């Protein structure tokens, strides 16, 4: 039986092709890896913004409830006068660290004697760290609630 020897010329032409293939595969894998890192980073930023937005809504709600309680105290037949604008630092409340609520109250026209109408606006602000005017690179969110109320 006779074996044919491959020509040395064809071996010379194929030298380095495996190196080029390995280099191509490495570049493709690096591009896929960097795209995955970018997607994960964007996803975590979105989740952080959503969580801080929910905390801002809860801060606005807490400020609103506190201001409504000042205006309509329990076991008192008549509401109090519209309380002054007030800012609540909610950092001491579990889950509302770095959160503030600013609440305003406006009393407006009463169509019938003895009836009082109020408009409360509460803005909750939360951040991923302390909110300063010089803060850079923190996630910050704000939510606003409006409630209209009247005495019974």
């Amino acid at each position: 039986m006779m074996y044919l020897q491959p020509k040395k010329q064809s071996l010379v032409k194929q030298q380095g092709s495996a190196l080029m293939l390995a280099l191509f595969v490495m570049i493709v894998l690096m591009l896929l890896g960097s795209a995955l890192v970018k997607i994960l980073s964007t996803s975590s930023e979105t989740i952080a913004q959503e969580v801080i937005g929910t905390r801002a809504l809860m801060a606005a709600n807490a400020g609103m409830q506190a201001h409504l309680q000042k205006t309509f105290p329990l076991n008192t037949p008549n509401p109090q006068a519209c309380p002054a604008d007030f800012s609540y630092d909610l950092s001491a409340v579990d889950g509302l660290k770095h959160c503030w609520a600013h609440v305003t109250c406006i009393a407006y026209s009463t169509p019938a004697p003895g009836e009082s109408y109020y408009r409360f606006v509460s803005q909750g602000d939360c951040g991923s760290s302390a909110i300063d005017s010089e803060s850079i690179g923190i996630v910050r969110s704000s939510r606003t609630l409006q409630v209209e109320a009247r005495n019974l």
Side-chain angles (χ1 to χ4, degrees), residues 72-86:
F72 301 99
L74 294 174
N75 301 323
T76 304
N78 295 324
Q80 305 299 312
C82 206
D85 296 355
F86 195 77

Side-chain angles (χ1 to χ4, degrees), residues 3 19-20 28 35 47 53-55 68 71-72 77 88 90 96 118 126-129 132-133 136 148:
Y3 291 102
L19 180 62
M20 293 302 290
V28 168
I47 290 171
T54 302
R55 288 175 53 211
L68 284 168
T71 307
F72 301 99
Y88 298 93
L90 301 169
L96 295 178
Y118 302 92
C126 288
S128 59
S129 63
D132 295 329
S133 60
I136 297 174
E148 296 195 13

Side-chain angles (χ1 to χ4, degrees), residues 16-27:
S17 64
L19 180 62
M20 293 302 290
L21 183 62
L23 188 61
F24 176 74
V25 168
M26 286 175 39
I27 289 172

